[in-house]
Amino acid sequence: MNLRIASVLFAAFLFGCKISSAALQRYESDSTGMPGFRDYSLMYSNYYSGIGYANVTHRDFATSPLFYDASAVSVNMGWPRVKEKSRREIGIEALAGISSARVPMKTEYIVISSSGIYSGNVHFDYLRKRNFPKLKSETWFGLSLQSRFNFRINSDLGNNGSGIEALANLMASGRIEKDFSKKAGEGKAFLFFKRKKDVYRMLCFQINAGFLNFNYRPGYAYSGFSEFNGSQTNGLQFLLANHSWSLNGFRINTKLEWILNKKNKYSDRWVYSWDLIHAPGKYERFQMVVHTFTYSMLLFRK
Amino acid sequence: MRIYLIILLGISLFGIAGCEKILLEKDLASSDPRDNFNYLWDQVDKKYSYFELKNIDWNDVRMRYSDSINSDLTEEELFHFLAGMLNELRDDHVNLFSPFNISVYNVSINYNKSYNARTIDENYLSEPRYTGAFKHGFIDSGRVAYVRYSSFISEIKEQDLDIIISRYSETKGLILDIRENGGGSVFNIPLLLERFAPSRTLAAYSITRNGENHNDFTEPAPFYINPHDGDVYSKPVIVLCDRGSYSASTFFSLLTKAFDNISLVGDTTGGGGGLPNGGQLPNGWTYRFSVTQILDLNYKNFAESGVPPDIAVAFNWNDLEHDEILDRAILELNQ
């Protein structure tokens, strides 16, 4: 099961790379000079695709008071579109990993409890530029619509072994971008060497805080019998029959991006993101923290 | 540039780490026996489904057991106390799982067994066939079909049932033996029962705990059996059951009560009509207990104490050449 999902995620990454490569060829044929990073961002649609490592901590009080810590593989892709006054981005991220329960250390018998976790996140950001001249940076404010879907498997929990939750959040969003581009001969490369080429670099920090937080969580007894229509009963519908939507909890996430543009052919994009979720639901709360470190290629497309 | 980097990295990493500590509640992992006792008692109190039916005073159980719980208990002693507390529920769908032991109430040990595979193999089934999860053959000089389904855990494939139904279509009746079948997947129940259903039939209801009061339950959810869209067996069917027919087998036996063409022969089933849900203690051990009830068409629950047979027959262990329960089923089909 894990192998199958990992294969799908890897295939999605390869597919993304293939699109990136095609986009790169178009970019090179269009290239006539050496405009700056920001110019390219404005002129073209941006596309990124990447892979990384995620550290996930989750706790579902409906089945356990224990935190589970997971190491996971993460893949992502996104389509930012930057204009003079506005910025929008659609992105998706998927991760798959194995988590272990944070059991007490002082025990006579070792308890090993593990869970598989698969999670997908979709976001759509729409931000408007707001200039603060003193900051000497570009600042953006707007909204982010995000949705995360989790599927967890823990065979130790029997009939409660499948954990499913969905989260949908409308978030206030703020972003700051600082351009650290340098011309050849300007400054020192790696502190010592004279810079021989132009280098385009940008540091971005974005924070999103949810103000409408929906979560889709299990019923009072976690799972129970719902109407059973013979062998036509769909297993997934049966599993979700006692789930319901609630409007409560909070979600906050941040993203720190370091974008390095080499010879304008493509950009390296290093991202550290953090996502914290608290979803009380109607009966039992769910908590999750995701730290993700990803590398992605950022390309410009017509 | 460095100042920017330092500030943003500082916000991202140290600020975030601090936020997590503040926003998430503290780690509740604990090996303290009292924490684990209180957590388990509370979970059962909030969600177990048979307090009223079994007339269990759960507060009294707490009083009796809490005096013995202290932080000096070894893990084996803690297991002993927690298992004892859970066994007060008299339910085989209630278990405690630790790295060194699993607690079991063991309903069936209080009753005689009513099934001996060797008796059937040596005296009834001369040339048994094995098709998927089923062992089957002609008995009573080819007039009756005998089908053994030993566990509802075993996957039921439609093609396997097609073969069996087709092979015995000319028999006078079919005997389905689910004695000592300890249960399994509820999704196998309609797959099997729909082969004997003449029409869409409302066969039972289920209710699920949905509140902190012991009698808080959801509205009854109907359980329907639809006739199979293909090969079906339209002759009389007799289901053999006993105290070892537990969980899904008890559920199956209860559903047969809604069908005129199906009779139950043998002993009362073992019970276990509630869906057992799992959870984990602060020390990492896991547990499960019933959170639902199965009701018959009159909204009565006798599934937990066992579904009574239509014809009660005891197995005589002094005569292992005869299966009295099977003999009675054959007799019924020949009448």
Side-chain angles (χ1 to χ4, degrees):
Chain A
M1 184 71 177
N2 292 342
L3 190 63
R4 195 180 301 167
I5 289 181
S7 306
V8 171
L9 294 177
F10 187 61
F13 174 69
L14 292 179
F15 177 68
C17 289
K18 191 174 177 183
I19 294 175
S20 307
S21 151
L24 183 60
Q25 287 169 5
R26 280 201 297 277
Y27 163 75
E28 285 177 331
S29 63
D30 291 343
S31 171
T32 52
M34 291 286 283
F37 174 80
R38 172 56 70 201
D39 299 321
Y40 269 99
S41 294
L42 290 171
M43 285 164 60
Y44 298 103
S45 286
N46 297 235
Y47 165 77
Y48 64 79
S49 175
I51 190 164
Y53 166 80
N55 183 280
V56 184
T57 299
H58 58 92
R59 176 163 63 171
D60 184 355
F61 279 96
T63 50
S64 173
L66 302 180
F67 282 115
Y68 279 72
D69 297 312
S71 294
V73 175
S74 167
V75 292
N76 64 57
M77 57 181 74
W79 296 265
R81 183 73 172 111
V82 184
K83 293 184 177 176
E84 196 58 51
K85 293 284 183 187
S86 67
R87 181 184 197 285
R88 65 174 190 265
E89 178 178 324
I90 297 172
I92 56 173
E93 172 210 351
L95 62 86
I98 303 291
S99 58
S100 301
R102 221 184 275 173
V103 295
M105 297 304 289
K106 289 181 182 176
T107 54
E108 297 166 49
Y109 295 91
I110 297 169
V111 177
I112 298 171
S113 184
S114 59
S115 161
I117 180 164
Y118 311 95
S119 182
N121 191 59
V122 183
H123 72 268
F124 172 72
D125 301 342
Y126 181 79
L127 307 173
R128 302 285 301 179
K129 189 189 283 186
R130 176 81 193 271
N131 284 328
F132 296 98
K134 284 185 180 176
L135 274 179
K136 295 179 182 176
S137 303
E138 289 189 354
T139 47
W140 309 75
F141 296 95
L143 295 172
S144 176
L145 181 62
Q146 301 196 14
S147 181
R148 183 175 282 281
F149 176 82
N150 295 331
F151 179 53
R152 294 171 286 116
I153 300 173
N154 186 346
S155 58
D156 292 341
L157 300 175
N159 285 333
N160 289 354
S162 300
I164 292 176
E165 55 266 329
L167 306 139
N169 309 83
L170 186 58
M171 311 171 90
S173 185
R175 181 181 174 91
I176 184 165
E177 296 178 347
K178 177 72 178 171
D179 195 336
F180 289 106
S181 299
K182 298 278 186 189
K183 296 281 184 190
E186 193 179 59
K188 298 260 181 169
F190 298 108
L191 299 175
F192 303 108
F193 308 109
K194 190 176 178 183
R195 198 177 308 282
K196 292 178 180 174
K197 296 173 183 173
D198 292 349
V199 59
Y200 301 106
R201 302 178 301 194
M202 181 173 277
L203 183 67
C204 316
F205 178 75
Q206 183 168 335
I207 183 165
N208 306 308
F211 60 87
L212 279 178
N213 303 295
F214 294 90
N215 56 76
Y216 188 60
R217 293 278 295 141
Y220 181 83
Y222 196 86
S223 57
F225 271 114
S226 54
E227 181 173 312
F228 215 103
N229 187 25
S231 55
Q232 286 84 52
T233 299
N234 178 291
L236 186 62
Q237 284 177 347
F238 188 74
L239 188 67
L240 295 176
N242 291 286
H243 280 56
S244 59
W245 285 100
S246 300
L247 174 61
N248 53 24
F250 56 81
R251 182 176 184 181
I252 181 166
N253 50 45
T254 61
K255 186 163 61 177
L256 184 65
E257 295 175 70
W258 175 243
I259 299 168
L260 184 65
N261 186 244
K262 293 175 181 172
K263 299 180 184 176
N264 281 343
K265 284 184 176 176
Y266 67 90
S267 296
D268 291 322
R269 179 175 173 270
W270 298 91
V271 178
Y272 163 63
S273 65
W274 170 78
D275 192 6
L276 184 145
I277 294 161
H278 174 74
K282 275 190 178 161
Y283 304 107
E284 307 269 18
R285 51 215 187 279
F286 173 78
Q287 298 172 332
M288 184 179 195
V289 182
V290 185
H291 297 264
T292 315
F293 303 87
T294 52
Y295 166 77
S296 50
M297 284 192 293
L298 178 65
L299 297 131
F300 309 117
R301 300 189 303 167
K302 262 197 170 176
Chain B
M1 175 182 161
R2 281 185 199 159
I3 291 169
Y4 267 99
L5 273 173
I6 290 165
I7 291 171
L8 291 180
L9 278 171
I11 291 170
S12 296
L13 296 173
F14 298 107
I16 282 166
C19 274
E20 279 181 26
K21 292 273 184 195
I22 295 166
L23 296 174
L24 298 182
E25 293 150 77
K26 68 172 186 175
D27 189 349
L28 298 177
S30 170
S31 55
D32 188 313
R34 287 168 301 191
D35 292 341
N36 287 281
F37 172 80
N38 289 330
Y39 184 88
L40 182 59
W41 185 92
D42 190 53
Q43 287 294 311
V44 173
D45 184 55
K46 285 199 294 186
K47 295 177 182 173
Y48 185 65
S49 55
Y50 287 114
F51 285 123
E52 296 227 322
L53 190 80
K54 294 181 171 182
N55 196 24
I56 294 166
D57 186 343
W58 195 234
N59 286 313
D60 176 62
V61 170
R62 181 182 192 130
M63 293 282 285
R64 284 191 279 119
Y65 281 83
S66 60
D67 290 344
S68 309
I69 298 292
N70 61 69
S71 55
D72 296 328
L73 289 181
T74 64
E75 287 184 30
E76 297 211 8
E77 288 169 334
L78 175 64
F79 180 88
H80 175 74
F81 280 111
L82 296 183
M85 181 176 78
L86 291 179
N87 283 340
E88 297 276 349
L89 300 170
R90 309 188 302 276
D91 188 337
D92 269 341
H93 273 166
V94 178
N95 305 96
L96 178 66
F97 303 87
S98 76
F100 52 88
N101 201 1
I102 299 170
S103 75
V104 181
Y105 176 65
N106 212 345
V107 170
S108 62
I109 206 164
N110 299 318
Y111 304 94
N112 290 330
K113 283 188 176 291
S114 302
Y115 174 72
N116 184 32
R118 201 160 168 172
T119 300
I120 294 171
D121 291 344
E122 292 179 356
N123 303 292
Y124 293 86
L125 274 179
S126 54
E127 291 180 5
R129 286 196 181 181
Y130 296 88
T131 307
F134 302 95
K135 175 182 173 183
H136 57 98
F138 289 100
I139 57 173
D140 190 33
S141 306
R143 290 190 290 266
V144 172
Y146 173 85
V147 180
R148 167 78 182 155
Y149 184 45
S150 58
S151 174
F152 273 94
I153 294 171
S154 304
E155 183 187 5
I156 292 179
K157 292 178 183 165
E158 296 221 341
Q159 62 266 35
D160 296 339
L161 286 173
D162 286 342
I163 290 167
I164 291 169
I165 298 295
S166 170
R167 185 168 190 235
Y168 302 113
S169 60
E170 300 302 319
T171 55
K172 291 175 71 174
L174 185 145
I175 295 170
L176 176 66
D177 192 348
I178 59 167
R179 287 176 290 176
E180 294 295 316
N181 181 328
S185 171
V186 71
F187 288 94
N188 282 330
I189 293 173
L191 282 172
L192 187 54
L193 202 48
E194 70 181 8
R195 297 293 180 142
F196 313 125
S199 60
R200 178 174 164 82
T201 305
L202 173 62
Y205 297 99
S206 68
I207 53 176
T208 303
R209 242 335 256 278
N210 72 345
E212 297 205 351
N213 296 318
H214 290 178
N215 59 354
D216 285 342
F217 287 97
T218 58
E219 289 296 309
F223 196 114
Y224 288 98
I225 298 296
N226 300 315
H228 179 66
D229 186 20
D231 293 341
V232 293
Y233 190 81
S234 54
K235 312 276 180 59
V237 176
I238 288 183
V239 176
L240 308 187
C241 56
D242 67 354
R243 288 285 179 178
S245 306
Y246 197 77
S247 189
S249 295
T250 281
F251 199 166
F252 182 88
S253 301
L254 176 70
L255 299 181
T256 63
K257 299 280 186 183
F259 295 88
D260 293 334
N261 58 326
I262 307 177
S263 305
L264 281 181
V265 174
D267 197 359
T268 301
T269 67
L275 183 76
N277 279 12
Q280 190 164 37
L281 295 178
N283 67 358
W285 298 355
T286 53
Y287 58 83
R288 67 172 195 164
F289 55 77
S290 306
V291 297
T292 69
Q293 289 188 19
I294 300 300
L295 309 176
D296 69 3
L297 295 177
N298 297 314
Y299 300 101
K300 287 185 179 170
N301 186 326
F302 55 81
E304 189 55 19
S305 53
V307 180
D310 299 309
I311 302 169
V313 183
F315 190 92
N316 180 6
W317 287 92
N318 294 318
D319 175 11
L320 293 181
E321 290 188 353
H322 292 95
D323 183 333
E324 289 73 19
I325 297 172
L326 182 55
D327 286 343
R328 181 59 186 270
I330 293 168
L331 184 68
E332 289 294 320
L333 290 172
N334 280 315
Q335 282 178 354

